[in-house]
Amino acid sequence: MACSAATLCVFILSGFINLSAANKNTCELYAAVGQSLTLPFVYDRLENSHVLRWTHNDTIFFYREKGTVSVGKPADISSTGSLLLRNLQFSSAGAYQAKVLHSNGTVAKTWSGRLCIVPKLSKPQLTYSCDFKSSAVVLSCLVGNAQGLVFEWTLDEKTLPGETKQTLSISLAQKKEESRFTCSAADRVSKERSDIVRPACKRPTPPPPALLCFTSKTVVAAFAGGAGLILLLVTVIVALCCCRRRSRKQMGLRDEGELRILALSQREPGSISPDYETMHPPEDSPPPSPKPSPRACYEKVAQPEAQTENRPPAQLSTAAEGQQPSPVPKPRTKSPKTANM
């Protein structure tokens, strides 16, 4: 029993310690960066004979005794003893304590509080977009850090109840042509309001009805097929023209050769060279007689000689006078070689 009671006391004591620490870190005052704040300390019977002391995180921040200020500025203290903080920064956060003492050193009044500094709230930017599918206009209140902020919307200078979100959707039927919207963002310290915005949402003119019942893809495919067919036809026509030109060129060369042959054949017979007659004999000329062989020529020559030998001398002389035949070479006869003894 004694052990369980001791354990319970430890738990209760730790709970009190945690609660006091939480209360110590709790902020009673909030301010934004760059603002000024007067700490709420009031002592109506404050006189110059009193001692006034302000501390920030246990450091003397202001000290006045018998009307003489030794630490701080006299302008920062009011007649009731409150302290004015100017141009607050994040370093200004912390615990502040005020104490008033009588001339005999007894405490007249004390005050303590914790100050928290938050970032300065920027001015909201109000934008809108028209959603014709849902027949509504969507407004957005844009601000730097929206966490922990409370939003407020006004329509024609009248607050819209229940609208605390960062976006607002208004039906186009509900919105007038000259409707004016504003949004506000607020935190613990300050509140900022946007400029007035007049949304202008006009439905786009519908496109003209299609002249044909085909889709755009079908029309594009048809144009592409037609262009391909035209290109193919042009290619075929160019190829045919090239082939025809080549055939005409060959026929022209052939006709030119025939004309040259015809011109040569129409010339005078005496002007035709023997070579041409040999190469191209005329149709009416008799075929050339074959040339006699050397043996036949020898036989023809030998026969007249034999006849002249058999004739009487008178006839031989008469014949010799009448014609003088051209000498014919006689064939050479090889004499038999005699063996060398």
Side-chain angles (χ1 to χ4, degrees):
M1 284 296 290
C3 185
S4 62
T7 305
L8 181 61
C9 290
V10 170
F11 276 115
I12 293 173
L13 183 60
S14 63
F16 277 116
I17 293 173
N18 294 332
L19 181 60
S20 62
N23 291 333
K24 185 178 180 180
N25 295 327
T26 302
C27 295
E28 293 89 1
L29 302 173
Y30 289 89
V33 175
Q35 288 183 343
S36 298
L37 178 67
T38 301
L39 300 179
F41 172 74
V42 178
Y43 184 58
D44 296 331
R45 292 177 291 176
L46 182 65
E47 297 177 359
N48 289 332
S49 61
H50 291 97
V51 176
L52 178 61
R53 185 180 66 180
W54 278 93
T55 60
H56 176 222
N57 295 332
D58 298 332
T59 302
I60 296 176
F61 189 75
F62 179 86
Y63 188 84
R64 186 180 71 183
E65 184 179 2
K66 294 180 181 182
T68 303
V69 177
S70 58
V71 178
K73 298 178 181 180
D76 295 340
I77 298 297
S78 66
S79 59
T80 60
S82 60
L83 177 63
L84 175 63
L85 301 177
R86 306 172 189 273
N87 192 18
L88 292 172
Q89 303 297 323
F90 287 107
S91 60
S92 304
Y96 288 85
Q97 186 180 23
K99 185 179 286 188
V100 178
L101 302 174
H102 293 290
S103 57
N104 57 3
T106 59
V107 177
K109 187 176 182 179
T110 61
W111 176 91
S112 64
R114 177 168 290 275
L115 174 64
C116 290
I117 305 298
V118 296
K120 184 179 180 180
L121 186 62
S122 59
K123 184 177 181 179
Q125 299 293 327
L126 183 55
T127 61
Y128 71 93
S129 61
C130 301
D131 188 0
F132 294 103
K133 292 183 179 180
S134 58
S135 298
V137 55
V138 180
L139 297 100
S140 300
C141 192
L142 304 179
V143 68
N145 186 11
Q147 186 177 3
L149 300 181
V150 178
F151 294 92
E152 184 180 77
W153 293 90
T154 62
L155 172 59
D156 296 332
E157 303 297 332
K158 295 180 180 179
T159 303
L160 297 176
E163 298 294 343
T164 58
K165 295 183 179 180
Q166 194 174 0
T167 59
L168 176 67
S169 181
I170 296 293
S171 174
L172 292 177
Q174 181 182 354
K175 185 189 77 67
K176 298 178 182 179
E177 186 175 355
E178 296 296 329
S179 297
R180 297 175 298 169
F181 290 88
T182 61
C183 72
S184 301
D187 55 10
R188 294 175 178 266
V189 179
S190 60
K191 183 179 181 180
E192 294 290 338
R193 184 179 179 180
S194 69
D195 295 331
I196 297 175
V197 173
R198 295 179 175 86
C201 295
K202 295 183 179 180
R203 292 184 177 274
T205 57
L211 299 177
L212 299 176
C213 300
F214 302 110
T215 60
S216 58
K217 292 183 178 180
T218 305
V219 174
V220 170
F223 275 111
L229 183 59
I230 292 173
L231 182 61
L232 179 62
L233 291 176
V234 170
T235 305
V236 172
I237 291 173
V238 170
L240 291 176
C241 290
C242 293
C243 293
R244 187 173 181 182
R245 184 177 180 182
R246 186 179 300 174
S247 61
R248 283 186 175 181
K249 188 175 181 180
Q250 293 178 355
M251 291 177 63
L253 293 175
R254 189 181 302 171
D255 293 342
E256 185 178 356
E258 292 179 357
L259 289 174
R260 287 181 180 179
I261 295 173
L262 183 60
L264 292 173
S265 62
Q266 289 179 356
R267 290 181 180 179
E268 296 181 359
S271 62
I272 299 175
S273 63
D275 295 338
Y276 183 79
E277 289 182 353
T278 305
M279 294 173 61
H280 303 279
E283 295 180 358
D284 298 335
S285 61
S289 59
K291 294 181 178 181
S293 61
R295 183 176 182 181
C297 293
Y298 177 74
E299 291 177 354
K300 288 181 179 180
V301 173
Q303 288 178 2
E305 289 182 353
Q307 291 177 3
T308 53
E309 290 179 355
N310 296 329
R311 287 181 181 177
Q315 292 179 358
L316 183 60
S317 61
T318 305
E321 293 177 357
Q323 56 180 353
Q324 295 179 357
S326 61
V328 178
K330 295 182 180 182
R332 293 180 180 180
T333 57
K334 298 180 178 181
S335 59
K337 294 181 179 182
T338 58
N340 293 329
M341 298 299 292

